[in-house]
Amino acid sequence: MTGYHEFSLNDAIDFARRHYGGFDGTTALAVEEIGDGNLNRVFRVTATDGRGVIVKQALPYIRCIGEGWPLTRHRAAREAQVLLRHGRLSPEGTLALLHHDDAQSALLLEDLSGWRVWRQALLVGDNTRGVAAALGRHLAKVLYGTSDFALPSADKRVEVARLANPELCATTDTVFFNDPYQDHERNRVPTGLEADAAELWSDRALKHKVAGLRLRFQCDAQALLHGDLHTGSVFVREGECRVFDAEFGFYGPMGFDVGLVVANLLLNFCGLPGWRQARAAEEARFARVEDIRALWKGFSEAFVAQAGGTQSPLLSEPGFVADFVQRVWQDTLGFAGTELIRRTIGVAHVADLDDIPDDNGREACQRRALWLGRRLIMEATTLSPLGLCSWLRRMAAEGE
Amino acid sequence: MTGYHEFSLNDAIDFARRHYGGFDGTTALAVEEIGDGNLNRVFRVTATDGRGVIVKQALPYIRCIGEGWPLTRHRAAREAQVLLRHGRLSPEGTLALLHHDDAQSALLLEDLSGWRVWRQALLVGDNTRGVAAALGRHLAKVLYGTSDFALPSADKRVEVARLANPELCATTDTVFFNDPYQDHERNRVPTGLEADAAELWSDRALKHKVAGLRLRFQCDAQALLHGDLHTGSVFVREGECRVFDAEFGFYGPMGFDVGLVVANLLLNFCGLPGWRQARAAEEARFARVEDIRALWKGFSEAFVAQAGGTQSPLLSEPGFVADFVQRVWQDTLGFAGTELIRRTIGVAHVADLDDIPDDNGREACQRRALWLGRRLIMEATTLSPLGLCSWLRRMAAEGE
């Protein structure tokens, strides 16, 4: 099986059987395709006893963004490298990679069939208490462990170059920092928000801040990021989380990963009044604020605790570590703002807003997300974690 | 000639004859070794008509830092890549590369025998008016041209990875940001400055700022830097400059290159009272302040002028460009401060201070450089270009 070709169902079974030691050699294997085939083919291969594995194969294009937007299959190798690197630092927070075949751009991954995707769990109102704190601790481990706090200078620079991801980062650069700040044909501005979008496109103060965030994203190689850490990239179960879909991984600013989690919790927060009655929405929105509080607490406390052991005499100064974490918070707010904006008026939306059935309710929620995104960007350097949470609780209590 | 070996004089002649088209095939060639052999071998090969070329070959170690500090010969390839890249953007400011042999780690370079090294010109009091402004414009071209202002996102990321320089950057990291801020055996603390050094090593506020600069150096891939831009890396002649010795080149913060130039002008400024009578020293120090003013003016005006043409709608906002240049100025002051400190108490000193013949005079100049370095780091975010120049002129007028 040399030379790339798109896997058939039987190819997926073959791949699983050859590279997974957990199947009995003679057992019959069943297969189903579970991905939507926009970017990758994803198969679940299961034995008769119910145990299974996932086969994920990269396709050489992105169907959902536009006809013929090509995308390197090399992203499968990048995903494998990020899962391995993060998995060593935080096995409890990373989907396990069992095998990687570079020629076929195919990964063999652990099957988490009993788990839910976090976005879906939040949408249906499952209790996901403990997940945000666990994800915060996971982020502290993987971001600290791939940063200059943990790695010798030369080793870190070798990693930055080795894990460069120019093509997928260019996609991110476009959908985060280019299209949503101009009247671009790739944008999908919701009905009713045309005037809001036009007003945003003319906001020079906002674009000034976003330009700074764009350069941070492009230049600041602080740590090996997941690179696309929305709530659809996290499996959850009873206070546990496993991060997956790491093909956008690259060395970038820590606040980009943390900020995307915060933003996706806020997208849920913004959408809730469109999904539930006032009282239930308020309660669920309080829970999202608590998630954000717990995420940041989990991240910042675990990060500071690790930094005490850094080998660099300069970087181990407690005051410096506190300043650094404070700067990550500011980046978190800024990047969260860009995610809220691009998920509302850019090319790729989220179910938390777009699937709200009632037209008027949906429009109000989308406007809320756009407004919140702008506020976060403009107030990134002045808003504390406490301040943000108080403000969100007030919004929830007042049904705003 | 496959397999690396250290060039003999005859090897250098052979290399020049084979790769330089400017020699008549039959002409006799003379050769002399002009480097000191600490890091590289450098030969000048000349024809009977006086025309010549330079042959530079990398050695696999640094003799001057410590016995057996090995250093990759790969730096010759890095130097070739930086000279080519910078040479395309600013041929008038870059030493011309004529040929590069990777197996032999050897470069063929234009011969600038009629020119002087800037540090030597400053030490003997030559008029180098116009050089600083030309160097500022050169820096604006090469730094802008390799940055996100000029390059598409993916192309820039490919360049950052391709031009990674882990080993030499680790050397810089050590000699700039590690050793000088602790009592390290590699430091060379001048006689009489022991107490000053000890006091610096206990200054936590200073080390906090330096930690921030260290992370900027490590993480912030703004542009392709020269990486070691002291006044000994610049040939000068009547308002012209040609930058050479680019083996430390890498993608880093622009202020690191600009700051090293500023610092080396300031090292001369600090040393002048040890070299000349009061009146002559004052006049020469005013000239150094004028150099700094002209360097920054040349850089910032040329940078802003180019940024108007960037393809990125976000980055082309005039207010953002002004902010960005202001941030480069702050980095310039900070990195200049670290260069002043490491050139005074670190492993590698400069002639401007160390060669001052009188012991008391030398000690005073070294103390001045150490003090100035600390001030620049602590006041990097508050001191304007105008403020710095006024302050330096006052120092010069009062003989401080």
Side-chain angles (χ1 to χ4, degrees), chain A residues 148 153 156-157 169-170 173 177 204 208 210 212 214-215 217-221 312 314 317 319-320 323-324, chain B residues 148 153 156-157 169-170 173 177 204 208 212 214-215 217-221 250 312 314 317 319-320 323-324:
Chain A
D148 285 284
S153 162
K156 154 98 186 307
R157 287 188 183 270
C169 285
D173 184 61
F177 304 109
R204 300 183 73 166
H208 186 127
V210 174
R214 191 197 156 198
L215 276 193
F217 171 80
Q218 280 291 100
C219 298
D220 202 357
S312 163
L314 285 180
E317 288 282 323
F320 180 72
D323 260 22
F324 180 84
Chain B
D148 286 284
S153 164
K156 154 100 187 305
R157 287 187 182 271
C169 285
D173 184 61
F177 303 109
R204 301 182 73 167
H208 187 126
R214 190 195 157 203
L215 277 192
F217 171 80
Q218 281 292 101
C219 298
D220 202 356
F250 72 106
S312 164
L314 285 179
E317 287 282 323
F320 180 72
D323 260 22
F324 180 85

Side-chain angles (χ1 to χ4, degrees), chain B residues 7-60:
Chain B
F7 277 1
S8 66
L9 293 172
N10 276 332
D11 290 334
I13 290 182
D14 281 354
F15 186 78
R17 194 185 289 284
R18 272 187 298 126
H19 300 296
Y20 181 56
F23 292 137
D24 180 316
T26 58
T27 191
L29 296 177
V31 61
E32 57 177 331
E33 185 161 2
I34 57 175
D36 60 6
N38 268 336
L39 209 78
N40 306 291
R41 301 198 75 169
V42 184
F43 308 88
R44 177 182 298 125
V45 178
T46 41
T48 43
D49 63 4
R51 286 188 308 158
V53 289
I54 301 297
V55 174
K56 176 175 176 178
Q57 186 187 37
L59 298 174

